[in-house]
Structures are given as structure tokens and as C-alpha cells.
Amino acid sequence: MSILSGIHPVAEALRNRHPLERLLVAQGAGGPRLQEIIDMARRASVPVRFEPRNALDRLAGTPAHQGVVALGVATKYTDLDAVEQSELVVVLDGVEDPHNLGAIIRTAHAAGAGAVIIPERRAAGVTDVVAKAAAGALEHLPVVRVTNVNRTLEDFKKRGHWIYGLDERGTEDYTKVEYAAPTVLVLGGEGKGLHEQVRNHCDVLVRIPMAGKISSLNVSVAAGVVLFEWRRRRA
Amino acid sequence: MSILSGIHPVAEALRNRHPLERLLVAQGAGGPRLQEIIDMARRASVPVRFEPRNALDRLAGTPAHQGVVALGVATKYTDLDAVEQSELVVVLDGVEDPHNLGAIIRTAHAAGAGAVIIPERRAAGVTDVVAKAAAGALEHLPVVRVTNVNRTLEDFKKRGHWIYGLDERGTEDYTKVEYAAPTVLVLGGEGKGLHEQVRNHCDVLVRIPMAGKISSLNVSVAAGVVLFEWRRRRA
């Protein structure tokens, strides 16, 4: 259970449709910004309770909560079984920045993917920062956490998925390759790309040909470029 | 002049080819990680000076500099005149997040743009955070700061550029529109899109058709999707 406190963080969570279990407002607290939060919570069907200020102090761990504390629902990960029918799945091989993870979840949902798969270790998990960067997409797109990305790719292969890895060393231009369905797109971590074993599990290694003097894009931007090319070709 | 201190921040700045004027190392300091920084600085032609530890304390404003301080060069903005011949220019109408600005500079350079134009007010300027997110692209791509985005768009129009605005309310699919050259692509700020006056200055308003239940992408991801479609069509 995550706990948010203060006018601004709570208002942002509501605006970004972060899943909240309950909103606690200090008895006697008021003002237009607090009223706006209460209205937003009610519109979002988040229960609002008025409680003594010291109950909020205790939950927030500080008296600087401006009269409002929100209790968030812990993220539920989805089981792999539930998403194996997807026409497009995004697998992240070690994305560590929560802003990137959130932006990729948002982008994958907008491109029509059925799931994002992340490893349990050495990678960002779903946190409030991720939920915020995902801008509401977490409520719609299943996120699966797996212990072993290589084994997951083998499973997908056995079920007839085609595995496309995005890698600087890829030989195929992402705009020219045929995207066979169902598709799994694998992206590497920031500044490291795909692990060698993961690379070996890919049917095709694609790259984004670039102008200029730098060799890679931010991983969430690269995800967007390839995912929306996949979407364009499918249309 | 920006000042960075500590093994990790300085190593990152060197790795990201942030423009540095000088590296100061505390006399008597050593170790493999510090040696690696000195080697990187020498390879990047950044002058290395060995100075008394208290000189570093003073510059860093703290004794917690781990024996290394780097002096960075302040960003120089380019004049608009110098970039008006570009075949592709990216104009940002109020992008406020420095990570997004950096990622867009990196992406614009990789897509073949000749410049990124930002407004002086109510928008992120180029800072160390931006330089880091741009991953070296700032050294290659001119950034122009203008007082009035609308006037800048009028200037470009007079010189024969075609202005494409990306907007949720756009009527043209970004994959179907003809990109007339020279092209100016205008992107709005986070969560706000284009200002009305800016929208009125666009020849074409394009949108990214999306699946799912959210209405927009992160602005740096959206920039990547459209800029690389522009690049694909031009190839």
C-alpha cells in the first residue's frame, strides 16, 4: 500500500488516475484546492473519509500533509499465462529508469500491445513514479514480472511468437523488416542494450538507422519509434 | 559555468561527452575509478589539473567531492539566422521537463533535424540535466532560444518552410500526410499541447492515431514517432 500526502502529490495522482483506495481529509481542513481534490476523488469513485489530524500525521509520517493523505493500491502484476495470446508483447531486458518504464507502458498501450513484461531483478518495478509516467495506461495494460527473460522468450517461441530484438548491432532496418504475427518486441536497458543471451533468443535483430553523431535513442523514444512502425505496417 | 563534483557525476558527464572546460583532481587523491576519470578526460582533451584539496572544497562547496571536480562550459545558444536553411527544424512550444527536452534534442539530431528551437519563457532551458539526457547530441545540434514562438513561425513561413503541428486535435494522420520541405515540426508542452495561436500558425495539424484508452504519448516519445516517420518518408 503506497501512501501519498500533500495537496500537490495527491492532486497529481488523481489527475493521472493513479489507483487509490481511499482519501483521508483532516477534520477542519479546507480551502479551494482541497475541495478540488475532494471533488476529483468523488468523481473517480475514491471513498473520502474525514479523520482527526493526528491520524493523518501518523499515516503520512509527518505533520506536513496539508490536510490530505491518499492510500494507493499496490500494483498487481499479471500472470504470463494471461497475456500469451497477445498479438504484440513488449519485453524489457533491464530498463532501470522508472520514467522510461512508465513512458514505455504508456506507449505500448497506445500502440496496441497486449502486455509489457519486465524482469524481477536489475530492473525498475512498478512504483508510483512509474504509474505517474504511464499517465493512466497501467490501469489498462497488464504488466508481467518474470524471473527469467530468456525462459519467457523460449515460451513465446514455442507458442509461435516471433521475437524481434532492437539492438544497435541489429542488421535489419526496422522500417524494412516484415513483422510476423504474433510479435514480441524486446528492448534493452539504458545504455547497455540487450544481454547477449537475450540477443541470441531473437529471431530478428532490428536497428533504427540514424543521422548524426550519436549511436542510440532514449529507450522509451526507441520503443515509440518501433512500436508505431509496427502499428503503421499493421494498419 | 557549471560545477560538478564526485566520482559518479563527473564520470557520467565525461561518458556523456558533456562539454567540460577543466578537470580538477585533489593532490594525493587516487584509486582506479579516479584514474579512469583522468584517462577519459585526457582522451576527451579536457585539461586535467592537480590542486590542493581545499581548492576543490571551495569550488564544490563541500568536502564531499571524492577528490574530483569538473568545470563545465555554459551552453551557448545559436542565433536563429544560422539555422534557417535547415531542411527540418523542431520547435517546442513550452516543453517544461528537462529530461524531455534532452531526449528531444537527442532524437531530433538522430532523425536529421538541423536545429531545436525553444522559447525563453515558461519552458525548460538547456541545463546539465538536459545535456545529460541529450547524451552528447547538444554538441552537434544547435539549440535556438527565441522570445516569441509565433513570430519565429511567421519568419519560417516567409522563407518557404511548411509548418506541421502535432496536436491531439489534429485532423491528418502523421503517416499519411505529405511532408513538404523544408519542414518545421511544432510540438506542445507536457499535458497542454499547442497554444491556440501557435496552432493557428500551422499549415497542417497532424495527430498520431492511437489504440487504447489514453489520449496522448509522452512528448519526447511523440517527437520520436513523428520525426522518424519524416525520416522514413524522406529515405
Side-chain angles (χ1 to χ4, degrees):
Chain A
M1 174 87 69
S2 67
I3 292 170
L4 283 171
S5 66
I7 298 266
H8 190 66
V10 173
E12 285 239 60
L14 283 162
R15 238 174 252 127
N16 289 301
R17 290 174 289 172
H18 185 79
L20 296 180
E21 195 182 272
R22 212 175 334 153
L23 190 76
L24 305 180
V25 177
Q27 286 164 356
R33 293 200 301 162
L34 191 55
Q35 190 55 52
E36 198 190 326
I37 285 176
I38 293 168
D39 294 344
M40 275 198 286
R42 286 185 171 144
R43 277 197 302 274
S45 306
V46 175
V48 179
R49 306 271 161 76
F50 294 86
E51 301 209 357
R53 186 168 280 271
N54 62 14
L56 277 76
D57 294 353
R58 217 163 33 236
L59 274 167
T62 164
H65 48 62
Q66 301 175 296
V68 63
V69 170
L71 307 183
V73 178
T75 306
K76 285 193 193 71
Y77 292 103
T78 303
D79 285 339
L80 191 58
D81 299 351
V83 305
E84 285 185 320
Q85 305 298 323
S86 304
E87 206 182 351
L88 173 63
V89 169
V90 178
V91 174
L92 303 180
D93 178 23
V95 167
E96 291 176 352
D97 180 314
H99 295 99
N100 282 338
L101 175 57
I104 292 171
I105 291 168
R106 179 177 180 180
T107 306
H109 178 59
V116 167
I117 296 180
I118 61 175
E120 266 175 24
R121 282 177 302 175
R122 287 185 286 277
V126 173
T127 61
D128 287 357
V129 175
V130 173
K132 199 182 151 203
L138 260 182
E139 283 174 70
H140 307 293
L141 186 71
V143 176
V144 179
R145 207 151 63 146
V146 297
T147 42
N148 187 319
V149 166
N150 290 305
R151 204 175 309 135
T152 304
L153 294 178
E154 283 165 22
D155 282 356
F156 273 113
K157 257 189 185 171
K158 276 185 207 138
R159 289 167 162 272
H161 285 68
W162 294 84
I163 319 288
Y164 293 80
L166 180 63
D167 197 272
E168 281 179 44
R169 290 154 290 186
T171 49
E172 309 294 319
D173 181 337
Y174 82 106
T175 65
K176 306 245 164 81
V177 73
E178 284 301 318
Y179 293 96
T183 307
V184 172
L185 176 66
V186 194
L187 301 160
E190 294 88 355
K192 289 177 303 192
L194 299 177
H195 287 101
E196 197 185 330
Q197 236 192 316
V198 170
R199 217 160 52 233
N200 293 338
H201 276 89
C202 295
D203 295 305
V204 187
L205 286 174
V206 299
R207 76 194 155 81
I208 304 176
M210 301 199 292
K213 298 193 174 153
I214 54 169
S215 62
S216 68
L217 297 171
N218 167 287
V219 62
S220 68
V221 175
V225 169
V226 178
L227 286 168
F228 275 84
E229 175 64 7
W230 176 89
R231 183 167 167 77
R232 185 186 72 78
R233 299 280 287 284
R234 190 160 153 280
Chain B
M1 174 87 66
S2 67
I3 291 170
L4 284 170
S5 66
I7 297 266
H8 191 67
V10 173
E12 286 239 59
L14 282 162
R15 238 174 252 124
N16 289 301
R17 288 174 290 172
H18 184 79
L20 297 180
E21 196 182 271
R22 211 176 333 154
L23 189 76
L24 305 181
V25 178
Q27 287 162 357
R33 294 199 302 162
L34 190 55
Q35 190 55 50
E36 197 189 328
I37 286 176
I38 293 169
D39 293 343
M40 276 197 286
R42 286 188 170 142
R43 278 199 299 277
S45 306
V46 176
V48 179
R49 304 272 159 77
F50 295 86
E51 301 209 357
R53 187 168 277 274
N54 62 14
L56 275 76
D57 294 355
R58 219 162 35 236
L59 273 167
T62 163
H65 47 63
Q66 301 175 294
V68 61
V69 170
L71 308 184
V73 178
T75 305
K76 285 192 194 73
Y77 293 102
T78 303
D79 285 340
L80 190 57
D81 297 352
V83 305
E84 284 185 322
Q85 306 296 324
S86 304
E87 207 183 349
L88 173 64
V89 168
V90 177
V91 174
L92 303 180
D93 179 22
V95 167
E96 290 176 353
D97 180 315
H99 294 99
N100 283 338
L101 176 57
I104 292 170
I105 290 168
R106 180 176 179 179
T107 306
H109 178 59
V116 167
I117 296 179
I118 59 176
E120 267 175 22
R121 283 178 300 177
R122 287 186 286 277
V126 174
T127 60
D128 286 357
V129 175
V130 173
K132 200 183 150 202
L138 259 182
E139 283 174 69
H140 307 293
L141 187 71
V143 176
V144 178
R145 209 152 62 147
V146 297
T147 41
N148 187 319
V149 166
N150 290 305
R151 204 175 309 135
T152 303
L153 294 178
E154 283 164 22
D155 282 355
F156 273 113
K157 257 190 185 168
K158 276 186 205 137
R159 291 168 160 269
H161 285 68
W162 292 84
I163 319 288
Y164 294 79
L166 180 63
D167 197 272
E168 282 180 44
R169 291 154 289 185
T171 49
E172 309 294 320
D173 181 336
Y174 82 106
T175 66
K176 307 245 164 81
V177 73
E178 284 301 317
Y179 293 96
T183 307
V184 172
L185 176 67
V186 195
L187 300 160
E190 295 88 356
K192 289 178 302 192
L194 300 176
H195 287 102
E196 197 184 332
Q197 237 193 315
V198 170
R199 217 159 52 231
N200 293 337
H201 275 91
C202 294
D203 295 306
V204 186
L205 287 175
V206 298
R207 77 192 157 81
I208 303 176
M210 299 200 293
K213 299 197 172 148
I214 54 170
S215 62
S216 69
L217 296 172
N218 167 286
V219 63
S220 69
V221 175
V225 170
V226 178
L227 286 168
F228 275 83
E229 175 65 5
W230 175 88
R231 182 167 168 77
R232 186 187 72 78
R233 300 281 287 284
R234 190 161 153 279

